[in-house]
Every structure is written in C-alpha cells, then in structure tokens.
Amino acid sequence: MTEPSPTAACDAYDVLVVGGGHAGVEAALAAARMGVRTGCVVLDPTALGRMSCNPAIGGIAKGHLVREVDALGGEMGLCADEAGIQFRLINTKKGPAVRSPRAQCDRDLYNVAVLRRVGAQPNLTVIRGEVIDLAVERGGGGPRVVGVELADGGRLAGRTVVLTTGTFLGGRLFAGAWEQAGGRLGEAGASRLSLSLRALGLRLGRHKTGTPPRLVAASIDTDRLEQQPGDAAPRPFSFRTERLEVDQLCCWLTKTTPATHAIIAAHAHLSPMVQGRIVGAGPRYCPSVEDKVVRFGDRDHHLVFLEPEGRDHPEVYPNGLSTSLPVEVQERFLRTIPGLEEAEIARPGYAVEYDHLATDQLRGDLRVGGVEGLFAAGQINGTSGYEEAAGQGLVAGVNAALRVRGEPPLILDRASSYLGVMIDDLCRVNPREPYRMFTSRAEFRLLLRADNADRRLGAVGRRLGLLDETAFARVARKESRIAAARAQLRAARHHGASLEELLRRPEVGVAAVSALSPSLAALRLSPEELSEVEAEVKYEGYIRRQEREVERLRAMESRRLPAWLDYASVTGLSAEGRERLATRQPLTLGEASRLAGVTPADLNLLLAVVARGPDRPAAGVLAP
Ligand code: FAD
C-alpha cells in the first residue's frame, strides 16, 4: 500500500485544508495543482479518501456530479475506474437526462488510488493532527482566518482555510443503548473545533446518518438469490480513462420478510432516534430499516442489495439495511432474510450524529460569510454523500487558491452544472435534513447530462490549470466528431427523409441510422458519443427551449430591480423569499438570486413583473 506523503509541517501555507475525506482530497489536490502551497491536516493520513459507508460511487444524479468533477480535472472518476469491480449505467430505459453511471468499488483499492495521487502531488503536504481552533485576526473589517491550532499545541499558518470535517465535528455514534463519541466506527471525532466555530458567531446544526451491519461474505448463501450483474460493456467513469478492462463481480438481490418487520417493530423503541437521544434529522430518502418498517407499515418487504466491499474482500454491504438498533436485534432480524439465515456480522450497523454549518452562511464560491479566508465543503455543509462532498471540495479548493492569487472566484451557475445547482441550493436554504443531489433539483436537466459534462466544463478545468492539454484536446476532438456526425445526419437521406428526421422518430435509434450511412459509421463514434448525438437530435426542441431560457436568465443576472417594486404586492412569491427580498432590497436580480430562501420560481416571477413595468400589472401576477 502506498504511503502518504511525509507528515511534515511547514511554517505557512496558502491553503490549509482541514480533513482528508472526499471533499478534503479534491480540495487539496485542486489547490496544489493550481500552484499554491497547500497543507492537508487529517486525523489519520492513512485514511485519506476512506469511504465511510458503501464503497460505491455515483448513481442517480450523483453520477452526474462525479462526471462534472472529472470534467473539471478532479480525481473521483479516475479513482472509481481504478478501483471499480462493477459498473452500471443506471436508468437506461429512461430519458438521457437521468442516465447516470455507478461503480461498485473495492474499498481498499480506492483508498490506495487516493493515497497514491496525494503522495505524488507537488505543493501538497499532509499533516497528521486534530484541528481544535481557528487562528483569527480581528481587524476593522471583521474576523480573518490566519491559520489553525492543533490539539498537540502546534499551530499552522494559512492564508485561507477550507473546512471539510465530514461526520467528525461533534460526532457521536449510536447502536441501541451503546453510545460514544466518534467520527465513524474506530475513529475518534473532533468536538473542540465546534466550540471555536460557535465562538466566531457561526451557526451550527445537527444531522444524522447511518450505516448497515457488514456481513461476512462466506456466511451468505447466494445460491438462491437473484444476481445483479454489471453492464455487459462497462463504460468508464472518467472522460480521461481510455479503456476499462475489468473482470466484473456480481451483486445479489434479496428482501426483508414479514418476520423481519415483526422483529424490528417489536424493538423499534430501542432505537436511539425513537428514544430521542439523537436530535439531528436523518436523510428521508435513505432511511434506516426501522424507519422504513415504521413509516411504511403496509409493505411486506423492502429490497436489500448485497454488494461486495471488494474483489477479495471478506465483507459484504447489505444496501437497504442501515440501522442503529442493538446488535443482538440486528443479528436476529438478519436471520429472517432469504440468503442471510446463517449470516454473521463482521461489523455492526450504527448511526452517527454530527455538527454541520447552517448553509445560509455560505456564499456561491463556498466561502463562509463573515469570516474572511474561511471556506467549507462536504458533509460539514449539510450534504450527504461522497459525490456531493467531492464536488464541493473541488470548488472550495479552487476558490481558496484563486483568492490567494487575487483572482475572481469560480461561481458555477444552475445552468452550467449540477455542482452549480447544489451550491446555489445550499446558499439559499438551510437543508433541514442531509442534502443529496437528485436530477429533479436541476431545472435545465436536458442540458446537464452526465454524458456531456466534459463539453460543458472542460474549458473551465483547462483555464484553471486542472485539466492538462491532452485531456482537453480529447474534449475538443469529441466536440468536432459530434458536429461531423450531426452534419452527416442532416446531409444523408433515406427514402426522401434526412437521417436526422428519421432519428427524431421515437422508434428509431442511432444504431439503425448509422447502419444507413457508411460515412457516419466511418466516423466510428464511441457508444457515449453516439448516445449524445441521439439525445441532441431527439430532444432538439426541448434543448433549444432550455438554452433560450438559460440565455434569458443569464442576461437577467445584471438586471436592476426597480425602486417601484413592492414585494408585498407580488402574488405567488414564496413566503420566505418575500420576506428576504423586502428586508434585503437587492439591487439586481443576480443579487436577489443569491439570497437564501429566494427560489428559482420567485426569480421568474420577478422577471415577469419587472418586464411588464410599473403601470401594466398583469392579472394574477400583481395583486390589485
Ligand atoms: P468525511 O469523509 O467524513 O471525512 C472527514 C475528514 O475530516 C476525515 O479525513 C477526518 O479525519 C477529517 N477531520 C475531521 N475533523 C478534523 C479535525 N478537527 N482535524 C483534522 N481532521 C479532521 N453518505 C451517503 O450518501 N449515503 C449513506 O448512506 C451514508 N451513510 C453514512 C454512514 C456513516 C456511518 C457515515 C459515517 C457516513 C455516511 N455517509 C453516507 C456519508 C458519507 O460518508 C459522507 O457524505 C462523505 O464521506 C463526506 O465526505 P467529507 O469529505 O465531507 O467527510
């Protein structure tokens, strides 16, 4: 296993990243690649990039985020390709906007892939230590972060600090009556830093998440279970991976039974959530099995995916069985599930509750408002998931480096990326439960596909210096091959109709039209390029409409909000949006769009009202 780079402290850093999870790793690598001196302080340097939960990357909308991180020059996609043991494109039967890649990874290989990249990165030093305090100077303009204090008494100077403390900040672990401080099982938490953040006047909240028991692979009877194979022709996660040669492993599907539900229901009162010992809200979309049994009492089963933790790994992850019930209860209910009658628990399931920053304190570049030079990314920003963390980490690392270089920040808008959607959502509202990405959060879904992330963001990655020339040349080649294919489709005809017209028909696929055009076939487009061509042709009308909407919104960014605008009389505004607009009185629509609580629908409404002018209130828009 590759050793991390030497843990040496140097006197001063341009960017100090606190934490080495998915957010911390992307932040530190991005900043270091941008040529600024970067330090990454972690509790355990061997755990860089460790996956706290299932070793799977991607899935619906999360796969889009990884593709965007990759397009900008980040590492998560490359590590997933290196460590993947099963690859699937999810939602292939649905429209192109919601298709998303997912890879089950080998937990240890992923860790090794991350350690190797960090160890080989110039300008980056990994420092073992617990950050307990932020060093702050107070001038006339408010507090400015100048470094961090370590638990061993050391101090590191930093011109900027990026906090990526994950589930460790004030972390507490729970399973039944058992409870202890910790960031995840076997790793201590970090509670003193919370006090320091509160002392700076920052608002913190509490969130909770959980994980299932890990099962001994050899104790599972998979013979009777449904197999879940990977894709026959697996596609790489990263745009930079030329070829994927992988001997894929199988996953299995089983389900809970009425007997499982009876045991869980009889012991639900032992759950620390039910007992009120956990106060933080958990993810509604990823509930514990006890939550599912209680909330959906009419269901007689819930699906459980049995996913290997690695190629030769002795443990299996039962996806769908997250729990914080006592270990004895976990053992009992497992035995009622087909295939798990003899299953042994390698590590018990548990819940973790931790502190996060109230996200309306964040700005679009992931600065923490009110403390100069301070940035935050990942689970500390109220999100859940490796992919959400990696995306924020990259943006925060880039912006910390840009700040050091005195350059304008990178702000991704909602029309450019899921990353832009996520950061914008976080700045607007304080999520009451851990925030995860869904395709439904993006209003310009047809433009923000997983397959075209490189064409959307490659130029940004290149400009920042994160994407090398070879990788960017590949994006340019793809662009011109797709343009050539579109031209061929328009030029070639079959029975009087152009191939483009044929491809617009719902029953005609891109493979069929390729067979009709030797010059199109001669372009030898990759499967991904072909599906991009297909999406662009079939959905051209919708795509054009979304593009026009984006142009309109971008043009409106600098549109002034006139003094005659009376928010109280605009019907249809959200209650929170109306209150914020009235108190903050933003000067432009762009400024309004960044106010927490002002929704995209509010902005569209304001646009309409401003466009109509003061004297021509439209029925249903302005109150009489
Ligand atoms: P983490 O991966 O938590 O990394 C935090 C890093 O910060 C670590 O390197 C730690 O050493 C370091 N650190 C913290 N405090 C300090 C300090 N004071 N000084 C120095 N270093 C510090 N996500 C899902 O999407 N679905 C799930 O079902 C799910 N279940 C989970 C279950 C459990 C039990 C846990 C623990 C997490 C779960 N997650 C789940 C969340 C997922 O693991 C995180 O979203 C993701 O790892 C967040 O990445 P991060 O980089 O923000 O933080």
Side-chain angles (χ1 to χ4, degrees):
M1 189 157 146
T2 319
E3 286 297 317
S5 64
T7 55
C10 104
D11 52 351
Y13 295 91
D14 292 317
V15 175
L16 260 180
V17 177
V18 182
H22 305 275
V25 164
E26 294 288 355
L29 286 172
R33 283 201 190 131
M34 287 174 68
V36 300
R37 276 199 304 169
T38 306
C40 180
V41 195
V42 279
L43 296 166
D44 176 3
T46 63
L48 285 169
R50 180 173 288 171
M51 302 205 231
S52 314
C53 201
N54 190 8
I57 298 287
I60 298 168
K62 288 170 172 271
H64 287 67
L65 286 171
V66 183
R67 280 282 172 118
E68 291 178 356
V69 167
D70 185 67
L72 287 165
E75 294 303 309
M76 183 168 254
L78 288 168
C79 293
D81 285 343
E82 207 172 308
I85 53 175
Q86 189 194 76
F87 292 81
R88 289 173 63 202
L89 190 61
I90 312 275
N91 271 345
T92 45
K93 296 206 174 77
K94 297 191 180 157
V98 296
R99 283 176 210 152
S100 209
R102 180 190 195 268
Q104 184 71 21
C105 294
D106 181 304
R107 167 183 297 291
D108 299 333
L109 285 183
Y110 190 91
N111 195 203
V112 169
V114 170
L115 287 173
R116 202 182 54 251
R117 283 169 167 78
V118 171
Q121 180 58 49
N123 295 327
L124 175 56
T125 308
V126 177
I127 303 131
R128 182 191 290 273
E130 181 192 344
V131 171
I132 54 166
D133 207 353
L134 293 179
V136 166
E137 275 179 8
R138 287 172 196 275
R144 183 167 68 91
V145 70
V146 291
V148 299
E149 313 272 354
L150 301 179
D152 65 4
R155 182 178 181 158
L156 298 167
R159 293 171 68 188
T160 57
V161 171
V162 184
L163 295 175
T164 68
T165 50
T167 52
F168 288 68
L169 204 63
R172 290 200 75 74
L173 314 178
F174 300 84
W178 173 80
E179 180 178 337
Q180 72 173 44
R184 58 191 165 205
L185 203 60
E187 291 180 59
S191 51
R192 289 153 79 181
L193 188 55
S194 296
L195 296 175
S196 162
L197 298 178
R198 285 203 175 90
L200 276 170
L202 295 172
R203 284 172 285 117
L204 304 182
R206 270 324 248 167
H207 274 166
K208 167 253 170 191
T209 186
T211 199
R214 303 309 193 274
L215 309 178
V216 175
S219 68
I220 300 174
D221 178 6
T222 52
D223 288 349
R224 290 175 298 129
L225 302 183
E226 189 184 318
Q227 293 200 347
Q228 295 273 298
D231 287 347
R235 293 188 196 176
F237 234 116
S238 171
F239 295 107
R240 288 166 283 170
T241 302
E242 298 259 342
R243 204 170 299 111
L244 200 60
E245 275 165 20
V246 56
D247 183 13
Q248 295 193 80
L249 296 191
C250 202
C251 299
W252 298 275
L253 182 61
T254 183
K255 53 190 178 188
T256 58
T257 61
T260 324
H261 297 191
I263 294 174
I264 290 173
H267 296 89
H269 62 283
L270 300 176
S271 149
M273 280 296 268
V274 173
Q275 292 176 346
R277 284 159 48 224
I278 296 180
V279 293
R284 211 168 0 120
Y285 45 80
C286 187
S288 63
V289 67
E290 51 269 26
D291 267 3
K292 289 193 266 192
V293 167
V294 171
R295 270 168 44 195
F296 311 108
D298 53 328
R299 299 271 303 270
D300 64 357
H301 73 267
H302 295 284
L303 295 178
V304 179
F305 296 88
L306 297 172
E307 303 178 312
E309 294 242 325
R311 192 165 290 288
D312 300 310
H313 204 284
E315 293 172 17
V316 165
Y317 179 97
N319 194 346
L321 289 183
S322 168
T323 182
S324 58
L325 287 171
V327 182
E328 319 77 75
V329 180
Q330 298 182 26
E331 270 164 357
R332 280 188 59 200
F333 78 65
L334 279 170
R335 302 272 152 106
T336 61
I337 298 175
L340 306 186
E341 293 87 349
E342 309 282 323
E344 288 167 31
I345 292 182
R347 282 178 294 146
Y350 65 96
V352 56
E353 191 190 32
Y354 52 92
D355 290 340
H356 68 89
L357 282 168
T359 63
D360 58 3
Q361 300 167 111
L362 294 171
R363 301 292 176 261
D365 54 357
L366 290 180
R367 249 179 322 129
V368 179
V371 187
E372 174 107 15
L374 184 64
F375 293 78
Q379 199 104 358
I380 188 176
N381 285 350
T383 60
S384 166
Y386 311 137
E387 303 79 0
E388 288 82 349
Q392 292 170 63
L394 184 124
V395 172
V398 161
N399 278 318
L402 288 172
R403 193 171 182 83
V404 166
R405 295 194 332 203
E407 293 174 30
L410 170 72
I411 297 183
L412 296 166
D413 68 18
R414 302 182 74 89
S416 72
S417 54
Y418 276 82
L419 290 173
V421 171
M422 170 173 62
I423 294 170
D424 192 52
D425 281 348
L426 293 174
C427 294
R428 284 171 200 282
V429 230
N430 260 328
R432 291 186 38 209
E433 60 184 271
Y435 174 102
R436 73 154 280 189
M437 188 40 82
F438 295 108
T439 50
S440 57
R441 296 195 193 271
E443 43 285 81
F444 304 114
R445 276 194 289 288
L446 271 172
L447 304 180
L448 308 185
R449 304 190 308 273
D451 60 17
N452 70 1
D454 53 345
R455 292 164 67 205
R456 288 186 275 122
L457 297 169
V460 180
R462 181 71 194 125
R463 182 164 48 76
L464 292 167
L466 297 179
L467 208 58
D468 66 26
E469 214 172 303
T470 319
F472 187 56
R474 201 173 295 137
V475 182
R477 270 201 308 279
K478 178 177 173 188
E479 191 74 67
S480 63
R481 285 154 63 79
I482 288 178
R486 296 286 313 264
Q488 286 293 338
L489 285 171
R490 277 191 292 270
R493 305 193 84 76
H494 180 76
H495 292 313
S498 76
L499 294 191
E500 191 172 76
E501 283 159 355
L502 279 184
L503 185 52
R504 279 209 188 99
R505 296 184 190 161
E507 72 282 6
V508 179
V510 73
V513 291
S514 292
L516 295 172
S517 163
S519 35
L520 180 60
L523 286 172
R524 301 175 72 85
L525 299 194
S526 68
E528 181 146 300
E529 287 167 343
L530 281 172
S531 45
E532 278 196 66
V533 169
E534 185 172 64
E536 287 184 8
V537 171
K538 282 199 186 300
Y539 298 94
E540 190 166 21
Y542 297 103
I543 289 175
R544 286 260 163 82
R545 201 179 311 153
Q546 292 202 345
E547 281 170 350
R548 280 197 298 273
E549 182 75 0
V550 168
E551 268 171 36
R552 200 167 68 95
L553 276 180
R554 283 190 175 149
M556 289 298 156
E557 169 80 359
S558 54
R559 181 90 182 233
R560 292 193 79 80
L561 292 174
W564 53 258
L565 198 54
D566 174 16
Y567 297 107
S569 63
V570 181
T571 54
L573 285 176
S574 67
E576 196 180 349
R578 186 193 307 280
E579 190 194 313
R580 293 290 167 115
L581 289 162
T583 33
R584 300 279 285 269
Q585 293 289 324
L587 294 177
T588 64
L589 211 59
E591 209 181 313
S593 75
R594 283 179 284 280
L595 291 181
V598 176
T599 66
D602 290 339
L603 294 173
N604 272 331
L605 206 53
L606 292 182
L607 259 178
V609 173
V610 173
R612 283 185 187 107
D615 300 319
R616 291 189 293 136
V621 175
L622 287 180

